[in-house]
Amino acid sequence: MDLQITLLLGQDGITNGAIYALLSLALVLVFTVTRVIFIPQGEFVAYGALTLASFQAGKTPGTLWLLAGAGILVALIDLKIALAAGARQRIARILLWNLGYPAAITVLIFLGKPEGWPLAAQVLLSLALVVPLGPMVYRLAFQPAAEASVLVLLIISVAVHLALVGLGLLFFGAEGSRTPSFSDAALQLGSITVSGQTLWVLGSSLLLIAALYQFFGRTIYGKALRATAINRTGARLMGISTVMAGKLSFLLAAAIGAFSGILIAPITTIYYDTGFLIGLKGFVAAIIGGLASYPVAAAGALLVGLLEAYSSFWASAFKEVIVFTLIIPVLLWRSLTTHHVEEEE
Amino acid sequence: MMAVSQRGALFAFLALLGAGPLLLPEFYVTLLNYIGLYAIVALGLVLLTGVGGLTSFGQAAFVGLGAYTTAYLTTASDLPAWLALVGGSPWLALALGLAGTAAVALLLGALTLRLSGHYLPLGTIAWGISLYFLFGNLEFIGGHTGITGIPALQLAGVEVKSGRAFYYLIWIALLALVWATHNLLDSRAGRAIRALKGGSLMAEAMGVDTARLKIEIFLIAALFACVSGWLYAHLQRFVNPTPFGLGVGIEYLFMAVIGGAASVWGALLGAGVITVLKQWLQDLLPKLLGSSGNFETIVFGVIMVLMLQRARDGLWPLLARLVPVKSGEGQRQAPQGEALPRRQMPAAGTLLLEVNGATKRFGGLVACNDMQLTVKAGEVLALIGPNGAGKSTMFNLISGVAPLTAGEIVFLGSRIDGLTARAIAQRGMSRSFQHVRLLPTMSVLENAAIGAHMRGSKGVVPAALHLERVEEGRLLAEAARQIERVGLEKQMFEQAGSLALGQQRILEIARALCADPCLLLLDEPAAGLRYLEKQALADLLRRLRAEGMGILLVEHDMDFVMGLADRVVVMEFGQRIAEGLPEEVQRDPAVLEAYLGGVE
């Protein structure tokens, strides 16, 4: 391995590591706020990328039907609850977000012909389509069991993952897709070329992380999420709705997932089930951070990315084995440094 | 409809199973073979998830380990020298597969089980993926193509080759494991496993080594999976990595959860339902949707979410309700058995417990500050004080639930601060909890018997084979004696969750007494009791005192305390503000001020 290859692999590793970092942040966010270990994160990665690819190919993405279907279900459930509680003032809002919004997106897609749009507009449309699925998934799958144990929530999470992967296959078929690069520019750094897309990935990741930092530190919603993460009951007593916190954290996680997918779709071919492995690597990083620390998770993500890049050179067939075995020393370290026995109430 | 007895239902089921291969076409025999294989794995998950409250998504990888071990060892012609001895024999391969599985399970368990509950499943996801990719990329086991030409099993000189012959092998193995698991759950070790779900705090206080127990049930589940894999390899006569991936591991968990993770029969039901449903959906969905693929996962995922939201106990309880099976014949008489050996009780007046300068800080909050107290054998010491005075913290410090910040605690002449709750319990201190910690679905008798855990020694293996019936009889008899002693004999076979709160507190005392303690720590035992029940409780505590028991009591009911206690210690804001005879304390100005407020 000469210097050239070392640098090239390092660049690969850091690019992937940046994506894993984003995903691990979303996972830590969802876990601390809702206690859900968000296995379906990876499906949002795939849905984001493949929805964009569908637009570019001039097809109507199947995720549109999922949005419409989930919207109808949520509307039916919430309407029933609102009517039973006599809360008529909620009806307009329920109809607007769960039926009106998907209808508007549908009209936009059928009349707007997005295949001719500029890339940035297509990206925005893809996000507008996929991201609302996050809170809808929370509403349908997790909210009815929000007080269950972490274990039950985890099994639900795995079940949702399974259903979404199956739907992904139905919507996008078994073939993979790649989308064009955001930019054809390239940066010459000494002997190596850094591609425009790599710069996009790194730049957007850093920007997103900074934005999240601001969001949690400066905004009332960010602080509400942090409060819920620290103490659910306490936050509730202060008037923070745990349902709102749950939906908001799922919204952010879906946005981060879908955008990550869109960022890497030009670098690697995305299949309907690719997201799962990508998401799990985010998990390895999140576990390095103990599912609690954002900075440690981000650093762990870079480590995972680099380990993956270099092992793909030395032992490409065993790359996944090596990455997932990394979890063993991490767990050992955590196990040795954790002293109290956790008591689930 | 006529009610059938449990035994009758079981015989009918066994007769149908035995006649199956003689009557059914080949297709259904094959289907039943697979259901049997899957049910073996799901059975392990019932123990792990349904009963023990842990979970694993990596069971398919353990199945793979069992299957690949035997496939490789019985087919390879160029085994390395150290393996050559075991080559060719499926039975030695089974032993080796089980050993390898045990090693992996112990490693994963040791790494994750000290952490919170979700690290084990996450660890098993990583393990499941890693092993799958490893199988697919190792040349010597055929990579993604796998291994063919696995020999048929030889049983007593006969080749078990046909599906129909294999059927009996699989189902006999499965039923044997069901029997063993059923036995295990109905034993000292089984009660401890069931106690895991109620949180480790109570189990540890009753002397259960919860960490070890968790590893044991994880190990059992992994070994069951390995056996299933071994059978699979010799039934199929060929293996490749596909059936051992993470997706299949998830399916196994679904079987256990959908079938009913709290019952051994749930595993069979779940394996049956999922296997048949999958078969049916794989035919139906591609026709319906117009393209091919594993679309059944969508349906499974949705069913799982709905089940976990609405019927977390799975299908088995629903099915059991449809078939009117008479439950539990016999078992209505208090169990009899030889009395267990008892501890040498210290003579009345011996110093049992001495707390010196005990201090506990939570960050800046001082919950207990420089507390002193002593308890002698044959005396009732009451610890009283307003809410938030630090009484329960004091209890937790003494019983080893929380570590001291400073000070020392001496019990029976040796220091116990720094010891685990379990070690302290073994020295003869037993406690009840302010917030009742019973297993609501277990009977009153079984709940009390958890307290006698330390007085038995038989572990998982003798329990599974029912070789510990003598000891078990003695433990249950002891539990029954203590239940009679506290006056709950009429409720002995009812579910603990159906008792009134006051009775549940009394049951906690019976459980604590089962441990044969010399010092009893009771946290608000009289709360929620009616007048006559309080009288009965006071009588019981007086009798225990007369037998030489030391009792440390936290209580708010002043009539109860003042009529019973020999001495009283009063706490306020983590400090001891008074100590003395009940009459003295009642006149103490500091105490009056703490309870009633000062007169300005």
Side-chain angles (χ1 to χ4, degrees):
Chain A
M1 182 156 73
D2 58 20
L3 184 67
Q4 179 86 21
I5 296 179
T6 311
L7 289 174
L8 210 64
L9 291 175
Q11 183 192 333
D12 261 12
I14 291 174
T15 315
N16 287 336
I19 296 291
Y20 301 150
L22 281 179
L23 295 177
S24 70
L25 297 185
L27 293 168
V28 174
L29 167 69
V30 169
F31 181 71
T32 50
V33 174
T34 64
R35 301 177 306 128
V36 171
I37 295 181
F38 194 43
I39 307 278
Q41 172 75 286
E43 277 59 70
F44 285 93
V45 175
Y47 281 13
L50 294 172
T51 301
L52 177 62
S54 296
F55 285 138
Q56 288 175 342
K59 287 188 256 181
T60 308
T63 30
L64 180 62
W65 311 127
L66 183 60
L67 181 72
I72 292 172
L73 275 180
V74 174
L76 285 177
I77 296 173
D78 279 350
L79 280 180
K80 193 174 156 219
I81 293 174
L83 288 177
R88 290 178 185 280
Q89 70 281 9
R90 272 191 259 156
I91 293 175
R93 221 180 118 136
I94 292 170
L95 291 177
L96 176 70
W97 281 111
N98 297 301
L99 299 181
Y101 180 82
I105 295 275
T106 313
V107 170
L108 193 62
I109 289 172
F110 279 98
L111 299 182
K113 305 247 177 294
E115 71 254 41
W117 293 8
L119 184 62
Q122 289 173 335
V123 168
L124 283 180
L125 183 62
S126 306
L127 290 176
L129 175 50
V130 175
V131 174
L133 289 173
M136 286 179 181
V137 164
Y138 179 79
R139 176 65 192 90
L140 293 173
F142 295 98
Q143 192 182 317
E147 299 307 320
S149 68
V150 174
L151 187 71
V152 169
L153 291 172
L154 171 61
I155 301 177
I156 294 182
S157 194
V158 168
V160 171
H161 150 71
L162 215 59
L164 290 181
V165 171
L167 288 169
L169 175 62
L170 181 62
F171 297 153
F172 302 110
E175 308 84 41
S177 299
R178 240 179 220 244
T179 53
S181 193
F182 285 18
S183 133
D184 294 327
L187 183 68
Q188 198 70 32
L189 276 179
S191 62
I192 65 159
T193 317
V194 181
S195 75
Q197 191 62 29
T198 300
L199 293 175
W200 262 101
V201 171
L202 292 179
S204 344
S205 301
L206 287 175
L207 206 68
L208 259 175
I209 291 174
L212 281 174
Y213 187 76
Q214 290 294 317
F215 172 73
F216 286 123
R218 299 281 166 97
T219 68
I220 189 77
Y221 280 103
K223 286 178 180 172
L225 284 189
R226 274 169 58 205
T228 313
I230 293 166
N231 186 335
R232 285 170 70 79
T233 315
R236 213 162 161 172
L237 291 174
M238 292 299 109
I240 298 170
S241 150
T242 42
V243 170
M244 181 283 292
K247 284 184 181 166
L248 182 56
S249 62
F250 269 66
L251 182 89
L252 287 172
I256 291 173
F259 190 62
S260 302
I262 289 170
L263 279 176
I264 48 163
I267 302 175
T268 175
T269 309
I270 302 282
Y271 299 87
Y272 72 99
D273 60 352
T274 311
F276 182 50
L277 277 186
I278 298 176
L280 279 185
K281 285 170 192 161
F283 252 111
V284 175
I287 290 176
I288 294 176
L291 291 175
S293 161
Y294 293 95
V296 181
L302 278 183
L303 177 70
V304 171
L306 288 171
L307 186 71
E308 183 187 32
Y310 287 107
S311 54
S312 70
F313 179 79
W314 290 108
S316 79
F318 299 103
K319 151 180 116 167
E320 316 290 1
V321 182
I322 293 171
V323 169
F324 287 110
T325 320
L326 173 68
I327 203 175
I328 290 196
V330 170
L331 288 173
L332 178 66
W333 166 64
R334 292 225 76 89
S335 173
L336 291 177
T337 51
T338 306
H339 286 296
H340 79 287
V341 179
E342 197 160 313
E343 191 65 20
E344 260 198 27
E345 287 287 329
Chain B
M1 212 173 350
M2 204 183 70
V4 281
S5 71
Q6 266 182 351
R7 187 155 298 188
L10 183 64
F11 276 129
F13 176 65
L14 290 181
L16 280 177
L17 266 185
L22 307 174
L23 307 171
L24 294 170
E26 191 71 31
F27 172 79
Y28 289 99
V29 174
T30 309
L31 198 64
L32 281 169
N33 278 345
Y34 282 104
I35 291 176
L37 288 175
Y38 298 152
I40 293 177
V41 186
L43 184 62
L45 283 172
V46 162
L47 185 66
L48 186 69
T49 305
V51 183
L54 303 169
T55 207
S56 160
F57 295 103
Q59 295 309 96
F62 289 118
V63 177
L65 206 56
Y68 263 95
T69 309
T70 192
Y72 175 63
L73 290 177
T74 53
T75 56
S77 51
D78 50 347
L79 285 173
W82 60 278
L83 271 178
L85 270 180
V86 292
S89 159
W91 301 99
L92 287 175
L94 174 62
L96 221 63
L98 289 172
T101 302
V104 175
L106 284 179
L107 177 73
L108 274 177
L111 283 175
T112 55
L113 287 173
R114 291 188 47 206
L115 301 170
S116 343
H118 47 275
Y119 280 97
L120 177 69
L122 289 177
T124 56
I125 288 181
W127 144 250
I129 293 184
S130 300
L131 198 78
Y132 174 75
F133 281 108
L134 205 60
F135 282 155
N137 286 298
L138 288 176
E139 284 310 316
F140 75 97
I141 50 170
H144 284 288
T145 351
I147 301 176
T148 54
I150 301 168
L153 280 181
Q154 303 272 347
L155 262 180
V158 186
E159 272 205 336
V160 189
K161 222 169 172 180
S162 74
R164 285 172 205 274
F166 224 95
Y167 172 94
Y168 288 105
L169 186 61
I170 290 174
W171 280 87
I172 287 171
L174 170 61
L175 290 173
L177 292 176
V178 166
W179 175 76
T181 310
H182 196 270
N183 285 350
L184 172 60
L185 290 177
D186 174 29
S187 73
R188 166 183 178 267
R191 281 188 295 275
I193 294 171
R194 286 190 275 169
L196 288 177
K197 248 192 168 173
S200 52
L201 189 63
M202 183 275 284
E204 287 278 332
M206 295 302 135
V208 177
D209 187 344
T210 54
R212 185 194 154 115
L213 206 58
K214 285 177 184 173
I215 291 190
E216 280 178 358
I217 56 174
F218 183 53
L219 190 66
I220 294 172
L223 292 177
F224 281 14
C226 174
V227 169
S228 168
W230 178 79
L231 286 167
Y232 171 86
H234 288 287
L235 169 69
Q236 195 76 331
R237 316 278 298 277
F238 137 81
V239 292
N240 73 356
T242 319
F244 312 125
L246 184 65
V248 185
I250 294 172
E251 231 164 69
Y252 284 127
L253 184 65
F254 283 11
M255 289 176 190
V257 172
I258 286 186
S263 157
V264 288
W265 299 108
L268 272 70
L269 182 65
V273 168
I274 294 274
T275 312
V276 172
L277 199 62
K278 186 171 175 176
Q279 193 82 32
W280 180 64
L281 289 173
Q282 275 178 343
D283 284 344
L284 178 78
L285 289 182
K287 278 181 219 151
L288 214 64
L289 299 171
S291 63
S292 63
N294 297 330
F295 298 122
E296 74 278 2
T297 60
I298 306 173
V299 181
F300 284 170
V302 172
I303 293 179
M304 273 299 283
V305 172
L306 289 176
M307 294 277 306
L308 287 168
Q309 286 176 358
R310 282 152 200 271
R312 225 167 271 170
D313 296 331
L315 292 175
W316 178 253
L318 303 178
L319 189 78
R321 225 174 295 151
L322 285 181
V323 183
V325 172
K326 268 189 276 175
S327 63
E329 304 137 44
Q331 261 300 325
R332 288 294 145 196
Q333 281 182 343
Q336 304 291 324
E338 199 190 329
L340 291 164
R342 292 204 56 192
R343 177 189 311 279
Q344 178 74 43
M345 290 293 260
T350 318
L351 186 61
L352 292 178
L353 179 76
E354 189 177 3
V355 177
N356 267 326
T359 301
K360 176 70 183 175
R361 287 192 200 94
F362 295 104
L365 177 83
V366 186
C368 276
N369 191 15
D370 197 23
M371 276 293 295
Q372 323 281 340
L373 61 85
T374 57
V375 184
K376 300 196 184 75
E379 135 180 285
V380 175
L381 177 73
L383 183 60
I384 64 170
N387 282 326
K391 305 181 299 288
S392 287
T393 306
M394 198 62 227
F395 251 53
N396 286 341
L397 294 178
I398 295 173
S399 59
V401 171
L404 283 173
T405 313
E408 61 167 21
I409 299 174
V410 178
F411 179 53
L412 292 174
S414 51
R415 279 188 68 163
I416 56 164
D417 46 292
L419 293 184
T420 60
R422 179 156 40 92
I424 294 173
Q426 272 155 357
R427 289 168 182 236
M429 188 192 297
S430 199
R431 67 171 293 182
S432 71
F433 293 90
Q434 186 189 358
H435 302 286
V436 174
R437 287 174 186 267
L438 296 168
L439 280 305
T441 57
M442 269 161 71
S443 72
V444 168
L445 180 70
E446 287 176 302
N447 266 290
I450 293 174
H453 186 84
M454 288 178 290
R455 299 171 79 185
S457 62
K458 296 284 195 287
V460 164
V461 176
L465 302 174
H466 261 189
L467 298 176
E468 36 59 279
R469 289 292 96 182
V470 175
E471 181 189 281
E472 172 72 3
R474 294 177 73 183
L475 292 176
L476 287 179
E478 172 70 13
R481 260 192 297 278
Q482 300 301 347
I483 288 171
E484 280 160 16
R485 194 176 190 185
V486 301
L488 285 177
E489 61 277 0
K490 287 206 189 80
Q491 287 83 16
M492 196 177 292
F493 298 102
E494 284 172 23
Q495 289 197 347
S498 70
L499 299 185
L501 188 61
Q503 290 176 318
Q504 295 192 8
R505 291 184 179 283
I506 298 295
L507 175 53
E508 285 230 331
I509 299 177
R511 185 178 66 196
L513 287 175
C514 280
D516 187 27
C518 58
L519 177 63
L520 199 55
L521 271 55
L522 301 178
D523 205 343
E524 298 193 20
L529 291 190
R530 281 173 296 205
Y531 181 70
L532 286 177
E533 291 169 333
K534 277 183 193 168
Q535 296 280 305
L537 175 63
D539 285 344
L540 171 69
L541 297 184
R542 283 195 192 97
R543 258 179 289 139
L544 290 171
R545 173 170 64 188
E547 289 169 24
M549 181 94 67
I551 298 172
L552 175 58
L553 184 74
V554 164
E555 190 47 71
H556 278 298
D557 185 327
M558 285 306 140
D559 285 342
F560 184 79
V561 168
M562 295 306 169
L564 184 67
D566 298 298
R567 284 186 302 129
V568 178
V569 169
V570 189
M571 278 183 90
E572 191 192 16
F573 299 123
Q575 311 256 16
R576 186 178 70 165
I577 57 169
E579 177 177 356
L581 299 173
E583 310 83 62
E584 292 169 8
V585 165
Q586 277 170 303
R587 288 192 301 266
D588 191 305
V591 177
L592 292 175
E593 171 151 346
Y595 272 93
L596 303 172
V599 182
E600 294 296 320

